[in-house]
Amino acid sequence: MAFALADFMYHAQLMASSRPGAIGVAVDIVALSLQADRLAVLLVKLKRAPYEGRWGLPGGRIGAGETLEAAAARELLEKTGLRRELMQVRAFSAPDRDPAGRCISVAFLATIAAGDAQLSPTSKYAGVAWFPLAELQRLPYDHEVIVAAAADRLRELTETTAIAATLLPPSFTLGELQRAHEAVLGVQLDARNFRKQVAERGLVVETGEIRRGGRHRPAKVYRVRARKNPAAERGSR
Amino acid sequence: MAFALADFMYHAQLMASSRPGAIGVAVDIVALSLQADRLAVLLVKLKRAPYEGRWGLPGGRIGAGETLEAAAARELLEKTGLRRELMQVRAFSAPDRDPAGRCISVAFLATIAAGDAQLSPTSKYAGVAWFPLAELQRLPYDHEVIVAAAADRLRELTETTAIAATLLPPSFTLGELQRAHEAVLGVQLDARNFRKQVAERGLVVETGEIRRGGRHRPAKVYRVRARKNPAAERGSR
DNA sequence: GCAAAAGTGTTGTCGGTACACCCATGC
DNA sequence: GCATGGGTGTACCGACAACACTTTTGC
């Protein structure tokens, strides 16, 4: 009986690993932040062959009872100590993307506030560091493509929402917000137009505080406003 | 013998779905088309427990050497005989979304031209049919959420691209294109503004043909223009 | 001739962009 | 006093929305 069971288990496992359904499912996290007013991505020293020791995106297999979103949040927490809402970017599934075996990966985007970017890596990872996007080295797996897709998504969102504020501390000046937008979009913005639009859209509200520092006029401090309802009427086109 | 094999398969499947690393990976296809000027989704009679016999999205596990995109294209081909480019929507991964065992699914959107909507189901599926989105019944799994997400994606794309033309035959009149946009967006459009914008964006070109039919003035026939480069300069905001 | 869809222009509004100067402070 | 970033208003333009009538055909 015991033998029969072991035999069954063995075959079941063979079936499982050779069956088309037995494909690894992982998440990769593209955590973006501002470092010296430049967009930077969080990379970790990988521990798994064949890329052990190289810098790559944090990530890993999803757990049995876990959604992809939960797995991504867990991985981010383990590697950085940060809890964040993550946005799905898309799935990457080239059969040869992981030389260690078939594994698809769903990429997630996380925005990290500048103040939180001081890392508290756990013992699990020796190295965790920010790398400016503009001068990114070659990355293992298909991580370069994933980073590019996530950055594109952030750009799209920045053009219509206040997501760039999540790259800043809870309160910030309009100058800081403008520099965040510029870093994400990769363009220079006109201060007057930028302020006008931020005001019109009602994305931020004044806190009443004033921040002074540097040899210049003090700046009003703002925070993001609780999301306005985006349900807008659609007109004719 | 046949019984033993079936029994073994059943247990192997149970095993596979209970192993942490062995999470099923599937695709679901949301094929959208126009039926009588209304947006409709392709559903098939499911064959797998516990929803056998119910209508649901076509889909299935991905193969060992297959990308998600290839799997989605294959499933669509198998169920409808149609070859189409598919767009990723997003991944759905609630642990309990499939009562038969842990399985994440990546949803794909396909647009089917009205002329191709005559189905040629293979013997593999008894039932394949179009269902108007507006009056969709309850669907098994999380298919309702998936359909909604795909329809949203189609709406977004319709507002900026000529994707709605892919719901039509290769050549079409502007009236047909307008009705396609209206069906997708769920609003009435102004004919003059619609034509003006289509012309300005250069999304379509005249074929030179004239289509006459019905007791009214004949219409010029158009086809989509090879994609204009969407690389546009970004201005200040 | 009449029903039915095709086809066509103008006007007002609004959002986006370009552009230049004064303000408050630290040094 | 000067360097630095904060803060403000106006004018032009292009995109979008609203709006009505003539054209061509089938019946």
Side-chain angles (χ1 to χ4, degrees), chain A residues 90-200:
Chain A
R90 67 181 182 89
F92 294 82
S93 62
D96 56 354
R97 61 176 294 282
D98 187 342
R102 186 71 203 279
C103 183
I104 74 158
S105 173
V106 178
F108 283 82
L109 167 64
T111 51
I112 309 292
D116 299 339
Q118 331 304 344
L119 300 168
S120 57
T122 66
S123 62
K124 189 169 177 184
Y125 271 70
V128 179
W130 293 102
F131 291 76
L133 268 195
E135 52 205 46
L136 204 57
Q137 55 191 300
R138 297 232 77 99
L139 297 181
Y141 303 105
D142 49 2
H143 285 185
E144 284 176 62
V145 183
I146 295 177
V147 169
D152 276 344
R153 174 66 56 89
L154 179 61
R155 261 186 287 278
E156 288 169 20
L157 291 169
T158 298
E159 285 175 347
T160 55
T161 72
I163 190 177
T166 61
L167 295 169
L168 299 173
S171 65
F172 47 84
T173 68
L174 289 186
E176 289 168 347
L177 184 59
Q178 181 180 339
R179 281 189 293 276
H181 277 246
E182 289 173 339
V184 172
L185 299 176
V187 294
Q188 294 288 105
L189 301 178
D190 180 272
R192 285 160 295 191
N193 296 335
F194 180 77
R195 285 155 183 270
K196 206 188 317 171
Q197 286 169 30
V198 166
E200 273 169 8

Side-chain angles (χ1 to χ4, degrees), chain B residues 155-220:
Chain B
R155 260 186 287 280
E156 289 169 19
L157 290 169
T158 298
E159 284 174 348
T160 54
T161 73
I163 191 176
T166 61
L167 295 169
L168 299 173
S171 65
F172 47 84
T173 68
L174 289 186
E176 289 168 347
L177 184 59
Q178 183 181 338
R179 281 188 295 277
H181 277 247
E182 288 173 340
V184 172
L185 299 175
V187 295
Q188 294 287 104
L189 301 178
D190 179 90
R192 285 161 295 193
N193 295 335
F194 180 77
R195 285 156 182 269
K196 205 189 315 172
Q197 286 168 30
V198 167
E200 273 170 7
R201 297 193 197 180
L203 301 178
V204 300
V205 288
E206 297 185 24
T207 64
E209 294 166 68
I210 295 286
R211 177 172 307 167
R212 61 186 61 220
R215 45 179 175 173
H216 53 75
R217 179 171 172 175
K220 291 180 187 168

Side-chain angles (χ1 to χ4, degrees), chain A residues 175 192 195-196 215-220 235-237:
Chain A
R192 285 160 295 191
R195 285 155 183 270
K196 206 188 317 171
R215 45 180 174 172
H216 54 75
R217 180 172 171 174
K220 291 180 187 167
S236 143
R237 31 185 321 246

